Amino acid sequence: MRVLVLLGAPGAGKGTQAAILAQRLGLPHVATGDLFRAAVRAGTSLGREAQKYMALGELVPDAITVAMLLERLDRPDAREGVVLDGFPRNRAQAEALESALLTRGERVELALLIDVPAEELVGRLSGRYVCRLGGHPYHIIENPPAIPGICDTDGSPLEQRDDDRPETVRARLTVQLAPLQGVIEFYRSRGVLRTVDGRQPIALVSRGLIEALEPVTPHL
Ligand code: AMP
């Protein structure tokens, strides 16, 4: 099983790049934010619980998040591996993932950090739109759709995420940047961290990520 982790602050471009990489590698793109949003839409008890934290820009408690993620890894389509996006978000989650993988004789192959300076993130998040159906991400300037307001992939309307409004954006960055640093240090200490400059255009960031993967995946 190949487990690749995409790391980055909110707005760094994890979702966009995870989708590209997952397609390239033929692995499912597993985003805990998407799983939570689907649970919120479905009105499940998990969704109701998660929503309380998401609305404040805080992290959903580890017990809930880790259980949801491990359940997802057990699904048949994840047998060959996954591209993880938005998980782990703190050191405790990284440790929980490590021990769960260890019981299967596996480990995180690489953790790819998309590095964007904190001061750029607010602008990126406030210009972000996602489609209603599939959550495909766009940016009003950096990555606009062909037809304004409509998703290129599935034709559904684009909307702003509730937590991309300016009040929540600041809270998310305040709350989430420090734990992300803990995750970065965790993977650095395991020798699997690779960093790509996230200020480049989307195609160049993808190229950087693929180059980082080449030593472990030749002929990509
Ligand atoms: P994202 O789409 O990755 O920005 O996630 C949206 C929101 O879902 C976050 O602001 C958190 O409230 C919650 N969330 C997503 N992934 C995690 C995680 N690994 N741990 C805790 N909360 C998470």
Side-chain angles (χ1 to χ4, degrees):
M1 182 186 197
R2 307 190 64 184
V3 181
L4 300 168
V5 170
L6 270 187
L7 297 178
K14 289 190 299 296
T16 300
Q17 296 297 338
I20 295 171
L21 263 192
Q23 207 204 1
R24 192 85 183 243
L25 297 168
L27 297 174
H29 167 200
V30 172
T32 40
D34 289 348
L35 297 175
F36 282 134
R37 279 184 290 276
V40 169
R41 274 199 304 277
T44 62
S45 60
L46 171 76
R48 281 195 300 276
E49 185 62 18
Q51 169 72 13
K52 296 188 219 157
Y53 300 92
M54 295 167 79
L56 297 172
E58 292 176 5
L59 292 181
V60 179
D62 292 340
I64 302 176
T65 307
V66 169
M68 177 182 74
L69 190 269
L70 295 183
E71 210 170 283
R72 178 67 187 83
L73 292 187
D74 277 336
R75 300 239 300 261
D77 68 330
R79 210 170 22 228
E80 302 290 312
V82 280
V83 177
L84 291 182
D85 159 15
F87 185 98
R89 276 290 227 282
N90 59 27
R91 200 182 160 97
Q93 292 182 8
E95 284 168 357
L97 177 64
E98 181 173 69
S99 23
L101 291 177
L102 214 63
T103 62
R104 311 165 185 221
E106 310 277 2
R107 62 196 294 263
V108 167
E109 187 174 303
L110 281 185
L112 301 162
L113 170 64
I114 305 174
D115 196 22
V116 173
E119 60 272 16
E120 270 198 32
L121 298 169
V122 175
R124 284 179 169 232
L125 288 167
S126 43
R128 174 161 80 174
Y129 288 82
V130 296
C131 80
R132 190 175 296 167
L133 205 61
H136 300 116
Y138 294 88
H139 188 277
I140 199 160
I141 296 159
E142 303 300 332
N143 184 24
I147 304 169
I150 302 291
C151 177
D152 294 344
T153 307
D154 61 30
S156 72
L158 303 188
E159 48 195 27
Q160 190 168 40
R161 275 171 47 171
D162 283 345
D163 60 353
D164 280 345
R165 302 217 180 96
E167 322 80 76
T168 324
V169 161
R170 290 187 191 284
R172 283 162 72 204
L173 294 176
T174 310
V175 175
Q176 298 189 17
L177 288 184
L180 170 66
Q181 208 51 46
V183 177
I184 292 171
E185 294 312 324
F186 179 88
Y187 287 119
R188 199 194 308 277
S189 75
R190 300 294 189 274
V192 295
L193 183 76
R194 303 289 180 273
T195 302
V196 172
D197 182 354
R199 286 169 303 184
Q200 311 172 86
I202 292 173
L204 291 184
V205 176
S206 300
R207 187 189 297 171
L209 293 170
I210 284 164
E211 279 169 10
L213 278 173
E214 257 162 16
V216 283
T217 316
H219 319 303
L220 238 192

